[in-house]
């Protein structure tokens, strides 16, 4: 990091991804901070900077500070990947930046503690029950959409829709009832629980008869605002149904709320949408397929006069970061392998991770 980049970092306030320390805290406190970053989404610890004022004081002995830091985390926690330690010179003073990645094998613990820690705002706190569940799911190789949906029954699945999918995807030509049940189990649309077949998250989201009743957070809230603030709105819709239904409704919402200038070229009238509809469609598909379905919040679509936001619950999966996505330097990962597989089989999306690249190309 050069001096200009460090100066820009000093202008930020402490947050979920950033912590300033004037000097290295005692060893167990260091471990708590590092573990919290690993269990959340990674982040930076800047040593030699006063926390509240962000004044760049510097370290008296950065080499000794680095040694003490390494000894602390080696004793107090087990990490599958060591943090990167960077020495920075700024204004004739020396600092250390500790780059903590988002951990791949969550949860991580501090020695002698039995509750993992997470980053909440600018604090490192013990994880609650829901966060602990998330950490174990993300640290597992198991797809997160294969878990049963609470209180859902086999009758909540549209078997005709599954038959149509099996025909379209050419997975089988054999469609008798017993074999379909066996295939649904194999494809993880249902799971065996207490001797009964029950729908999974993937099964309800893809083929539910009334998806919203079984999973209220499956709806997408879409708003078109006046101007560039969320004060007044022109249009509001709650998009509900299977993921396929929601994609169609979202596309209709976008088209209804976009300016569509037209011009005559030769003998034809060419109509252009304000935003490339393919880019918006790709973005909403990405949000639906890759979001954290264990999080009870809904996806939000916000259209303003000069930009569009799509907010999707859940963090990026390690080792994917925003910076890597911007550089198109990442290997695609999904927490919902079953949903992604169905979308790929139906040629709705590509599992090779080209979605963001196509969005950027469409927007140029």
């Amino acid at each position: 990091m050069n001096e200009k980049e460090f100066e820009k970092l000093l202008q930020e306030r402490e947050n979920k991804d950033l912590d300033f320390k004037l000097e290295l805290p005692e060893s167990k406190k260091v471990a708590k901070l590092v573990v919290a970053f690993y269990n959340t989404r990674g982040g930076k610890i800047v040593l030699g900077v006063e926390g509240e004022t962000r004044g760049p004081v510097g370290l008296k002995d950065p080499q000794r500070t680095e040694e003490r830091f390494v000894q602390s985390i080696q004793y107090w926690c087990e990490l599958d990947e060591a943090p990167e330690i960077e020495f920075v010179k700024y204004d004739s003073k020396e600092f250390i930046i500790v780059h903590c990645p988002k951990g791949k094998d969550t949860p991580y613990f501090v020695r002698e503690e039995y509750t993992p820690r997470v980053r909440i705002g600018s604090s490192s706190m013990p994880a609650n029950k829901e966060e602990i569940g998330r950490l174990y799911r993300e640290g597992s190789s198991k797809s997160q959409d294969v878990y049963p949906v609470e209180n859902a029954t086999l009758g909540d699945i549209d078997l005709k829709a599954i038959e149509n999918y099996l025909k379209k995807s050419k997975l089988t030509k054999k469609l008798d009832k017993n074999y379909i049940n066996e295939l649904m189990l194999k494809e993880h649309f249902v799971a065996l629980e207490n001797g009964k077949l029950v729908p999974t998250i993937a099964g309800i989201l893809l083929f539910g008869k009334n998806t919203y009743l079984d999973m209220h957070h499956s709806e997408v809230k879409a708003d078109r605002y006046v101007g560039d603030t969320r004060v007044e709105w022109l249009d509001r819709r709650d998009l509900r149904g299977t993921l396929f239904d929601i994609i169609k409704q979202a596309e209709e919402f976008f088209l209804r709320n976009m300016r569509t200038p037209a011009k005559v070229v030769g003998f034809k009238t060419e109509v252009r949408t304000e935003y490339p509809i393919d880019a918006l469609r790709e973005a909403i598909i990405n949000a639906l397929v890759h979001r954290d379905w264990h999080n009870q919040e809904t996806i939000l679509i916000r259209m303003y006069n000069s930009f569009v936001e799509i907010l999707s619950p859940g963090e990026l999966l390690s080792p994917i970061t925003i910076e890597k996505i911007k550089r198109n330097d990442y290997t695609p990962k999904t927490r919902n392998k079953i949903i992604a597989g169905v979308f790929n089989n139906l040629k709705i999306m590509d599992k090779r991770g080209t979605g963001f690249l196509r969005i950027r190309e469409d927007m140029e």
Side-chain angles (χ1 to χ4, degrees):
M1 184 176 289
N2 58 40
E3 286 204 2
K4 193 173 181 181
E5 291 170 332
F6 188 73
E7 191 170 320
K8 187 178 178 182
L9 187 66
L10 292 175
Q11 293 170 8
E12 295 186 35
R13 293 190 177 277
E14 287 188 330
N15 54 53
K16 198 172 187 177
D17 310 314
L18 181 64
D19 201 292
F20 294 111
K21 297 294 180 194
L22 183 57
E23 54 189 28
L24 189 69
E26 61 98 0
S27 58
K28 191 171 183 180
K29 286 184 179 178
V30 172
K32 289 178 180 179
L33 181 57
V34 170
V35 160
F37 277 127
Y38 271 67
N39 280 332
T40 311
R41 62 186 187 196
K44 299 182 184 73
I45 305 167
V46 185
L47 302 175
V49 176
E50 207 284 317
E52 289 190 15
T53 64
R54 303 187 298 288
V57 177
L59 297 168
K60 292 180 181 177
D61 189 348
Q63 199 67 49
R64 176 61 186 146
T65 301
E66 185 254 359
E67 289 171 3
R68 285 177 51 224
F69 173 82
V70 171
Q71 290 168 0
S72 296
I73 63 169
Q74 284 180 344
Y75 179 81
W76 285 105
C77 42
E78 290 185 21
L79 305 173
D80 50 357
E81 179 182 357
E84 179 191 338
I85 299 172
E86 181 182 8
F87 293 89
V88 176
K89 284 190 176 181
Y90 174 77
D91 195 24
S92 302
K93 300 167 187 172
E94 294 187 87
F95 304 84
I96 286 177
I97 302 177
V98 180
H99 300 267
C100 299
K102 176 177 169 59
K104 300 175 187 175
D105 192 22
T106 55
Y108 298 87
F109 294 85
V110 174
R111 190 174 180 176
E112 299 175 0
E113 289 192 351
Y114 301 99
T115 301
R117 291 181 173 271
V118 293
R119 193 81 175 158
I120 299 174
S122 58
S123 301
S124 303
M125 308 288 289
N128 61 29
K129 184 179 176 181
E130 288 73 24
E131 288 161 341
I132 292 171
R134 172 187 65 81
L135 291 171
Y136 276 105
R137 286 193 301 272
E138 290 189 355
S140 168
S141 59
K142 187 176 180 180
S143 181
Q144 293 186 27
D145 53 358
V146 300
Y147 293 90
V149 174
E150 191 175 357
N151 298 324
T153 67
L154 194 58
D156 295 321
I157 292 279
D158 186 343
L159 294 178
K160 200 70 184 172
I162 288 185
E163 284 183 21
N164 290 336
Y165 163 69
L166 294 173
K167 287 175 184 175
K168 279 184 183 178
S169 58
K170 299 178 181 176
L171 287 176
T172 183
K173 293 181 180 178
K174 189 178 177 183
L175 294 174
D176 63 84
K177 184 180 177 182
N178 288 337
Y179 188 66
I180 284 182
N181 285 351
E182 185 182 323
L183 203 55
M184 284 196 300
L185 194 58
K186 193 174 181 180
E187 292 294 313
H188 299 287
F189 302 150
V190 296
L192 202 58
E193 191 174 61
N194 298 324
K196 292 182 179 180
L197 292 177
V198 294
T200 60
I201 292 171
I204 288 293
L205 290 170
L206 295 166
F207 308 112
K209 288 179 181 176
N210 196 326
T211 301
Y212 175 73
L213 284 182
D214 290 306
M215 295 177 65
H216 283 351
H217 59 293
S218 64
E219 75 172 355
V220 173
K221 292 187 178 296
D223 298 300
R224 172 61 166 101
Y225 294 101
V226 177
D228 285 342
T229 61
R230 298 198 303 276
V231 178
E232 295 181 70
W233 61 87
L234 292 169
D235 191 11
R236 308 189 92 175
R237 292 288 186 274
D238 292 333
L239 315 182
R240 295 174 179 173
T242 65
L243 299 188
F244 308 116
D245 297 328
I246 289 173
I247 292 167
K248 186 178 179 183
Q249 292 169 38
E251 194 168 335
E252 291 168 355
F253 178 84
F254 287 134
L255 290 170
R256 186 168 60 248
N257 287 288
M258 277 196 289
R259 292 183 285 267
T260 52
K263 65 178 180 178
V264 177
V265 179
F267 293 100
K268 294 182 179 180
T269 301
E270 287 188 0
V271 179
R272 293 178 59 229
T273 55
E274 186 178 4
Y275 299 96
I277 194 63
D278 286 345
L280 292 173
R281 187 171 184 272
E282 187 71 42
I284 195 66
I285 288 171
N286 188 286
L288 290 166
V289 171
H290 299 304
R291 66 155 286 175
D292 180 357
W293 285 107
H294 294 267
N295 186 318
Q296 298 298 304
E297 295 178 12
T298 59
I299 292 172
L300 304 176
I301 296 173
R302 294 172 178 168
M303 291 191 74
Y304 303 89
N305 271 13
S306 57
F307 62 99
V308 177
E309 290 180 329
I310 298 175
L311 288 79
S312 177
E315 306 283 355
L316 290 170
L317 291 179
S318 179
I320 300 174
T321 62
I322 296 294
E323 289 71 26
K324 287 182 178 180
I325 290 173
K326 286 179 180 177
R327 298 196 306 266
N328 197 36
D329 177 26
Y330 65 97
T331 302
K333 286 189 75 174
T334 181
R335 53 172 59 86
N336 303 309
K337 299 180 179 70
I338 308 307
I339 295 171
V342 169
F343 272 55
N344 182 66
N345 289 340
L346 293 175
K347 296 182 171 54
I348 296 172
M349 67 172 284
D350 181 11
K351 286 171 73 176
R352 294 176 179 84
T354 59
F356 282 111
L357 184 61
R358 290 201 300 274
I359 289 172
R360 285 198 291 269
E361 288 177 350
D362 285 339
M363 292 298 292
E364 288 176 357

